[in-house]
Amino acid sequence: MKPILTFLCSLLLVCPGFAKDKQPNVVVLLADDLGYRDIGCYGGPVKTPVLDKLAAGGVRFTDFHSGAPVCSPSRATFLTGRNHIRAGVYSVLNEQRHRMHLLRSETTLAEVLKDAGYGTAHFGKWHLGMPVNNRDNPTPAEHGFDYWFGIPYSNDMDWNLPDGLENRTAYFEPEIDYWQVPLIRNETEFERPTDQTTLTRRYTEEAVAFIEANRDGPFLLYLPHSMPHVPLFASDEFREQSTAGIYGDVIEEIDWSVGQVLAALDRNGLAEDTLVIFTSDNGPWLNFGNHAGST
């Protein structure tokens, strides 16, 4: 049995509320570069009432180790349960190392559950291959996801900076035109540059629509957020609302997103038959000061 399947089965064993005659739905909500102390239930300064309530009513882990300290390998480990090097991902995927990707021979959580009759969807950041510009890299569809919507890599890749502007400065003063990240639905790129102020909301809307369409289940919903990886963007509704600055704005919008997903589960009578996991990929990118989280 694959290690990731063992982990999932272990979680199901400690959640006895699931109906014995039903396969439980699985919802995985993954933040990008979120710190341990960035949400309220871990003593953080940002207001996260939805996540705090979720933690209070479930299991709160206080010692959980990431497979790697950076994005691509940590995601490879998370989705396969394998050491990221064995899975073919040695470091962060970028333009210079785009030939590296999650091996097609690896089995992901999505593939295991799809074989068990689950509908599967991916909304957010992939970063396990570069499925753009005609590169022969695997997409989420090749690793078990029936449907996917999101960006192919980190939100700070594919930049076009004005003359005289250092890349690091651009992280702190983000403008949509600097960042040329594409937005993809299934195999089709339909927006570039992506309006990153809308990403959290659009991921959420897609996730809610998927729940509504698959209420008869079972399903796997994987929502790997693009943020709080820098550059930081929040919608107008959340910008300048947090006492923790733009970083706090982003976290509060993610907390809202979790609330929308949970509300969709409640609305469709699925809350008691769904395992919801919220976690971070590898912890904060501390170089960015108040644009990064806390360990």
Side-chain angles (χ1 to χ4, degrees):
M1 181 179 286
K2 288 283 187 179
I4 189 67
L5 185 56
T6 304
F7 171 66
L8 179 62
C9 291
S10 298
L11 286 176
L12 296 178
L13 286 173
V14 300
C15 300
F18 296 129
K20 289 184 171 61
D21 59 341
K22 293 186 66 176
Q23 293 173 293
N25 306 306
V26 180
V27 174
V28 179
L29 309 167
L30 183 70
D32 193 338
D33 291 354
L34 182 73
Y36 180 90
R37 194 177 173 272
D38 290 345
I39 58 178
C41 62
Y42 288 96
V46 182
K47 295 178 181 178
T48 54
V50 175
L51 288 169
D52 296 349
K53 183 177 179 180
L54 184 66
V59 178
R60 185 172 67 93
F61 291 93
T62 57
D63 189 7
F64 188 91
H65 296 262
S66 176
V70 288
C71 295
S72 302
S74 66
R75 289 157 195 270
T77 294
F78 184 83
L79 281 178
T80 66
R82 300 253 291 165
N83 181 285
H84 60 89
I85 295 175
R86 292 181 181 275
V89 183
Y90 300 89
S91 183
V92 176
L93 277 66
N94 60 25
E95 293 293 324
Q96 288 71 43
R97 294 189 287 268
H98 68 263
R99 291 181 179 83
M100 175 179 60
H101 55 73
L102 180 62
L103 296 176
R104 287 183 169 85
S105 58
E106 288 299 316
T107 302
T108 67
L109 174 62
E111 290 172 276
V112 170
L113 292 182
K114 185 174 181 176
D115 287 347
Y118 279 64
T120 58
H122 174 295
F123 305 110
K125 167 182 163 180
W126 175 234
H127 213 184
L128 289 170
M130 296 289 217
V132 293
N133 301 331
N134 298 315
R135 292 175 182 158
D136 183 27
N137 280 192
T139 66
E142 294 179 79
H143 277 295
F145 292 100
D146 298 322
Y147 181 83
W148 69 285
F149 171 93
I151 62 176
Y153 34 70
S154 292
N155 63 331
D156 65 333
M157 295 183 176
D158 276 346
W159 58 72
N160 180 25
L161 301 182
D163 291 340
L165 183 66
E166 295 295 330
N167 187 25
R168 185 177 176 84
T169 302
Y171 283 114
F172 291 96
E173 298 178 0
E175 295 291 343
I176 293 172
D177 290 344
Y178 295 171
W179 312 101
Q180 304 297 310
V181 181
L183 190 60
I184 298 174
R185 186 187 304 278
N186 293 327
E187 307 301 311
T188 303
E189 176 184 319
F190 68 93
E191 180 176 309
R192 186 197 288 251
T194 300
D195 181 353
Q196 295 199 43
T197 64
T198 69
L199 275 181
T200 298
R201 175 179 56 80
R202 291 162 88 178
Y203 294 160
T204 306
E205 290 171 351
E206 293 278 345
V208 168
F210 175 78
I211 291 171
E212 299 280 356
N214 291 270
R215 62 172 64 91
D216 294 330
F219 61 78
L220 165 67
L221 189 161
Y222 176 50
L223 201 170
H225 282 284
S226 307
M227 289 177 272
H229 188 290
V230 290
L232 299 175
F233 294 87
S235 67
D236 291 341
E237 182 180 354
F238 288 90
R239 190 169 180 83
E240 298 182 354
Q241 297 301 308
S242 172
T243 58
I246 181 63
Y247 190 87
D249 296 339
V250 169
I251 302 304
E252 290 187 9
E253 188 160 16
I254 290 174
D255 186 71
W256 165 85
S257 171
V258 175
Q260 297 301 299
V261 170
L262 296 180
L265 294 174
D266 280 332
R267 190 164 57 246
N268 288 280
L270 303 174
E272 298 302 316
D273 297 308
T274 303
L275 173 65
V276 179
I277 303 168
F278 180 88
T279 187
S280 180
D281 57 354
N282 45 245
W285 196 353
L286 296 176
N287 292 10
F288 288 93
N290 62 4
H291 279 222
S294 170
T295 56

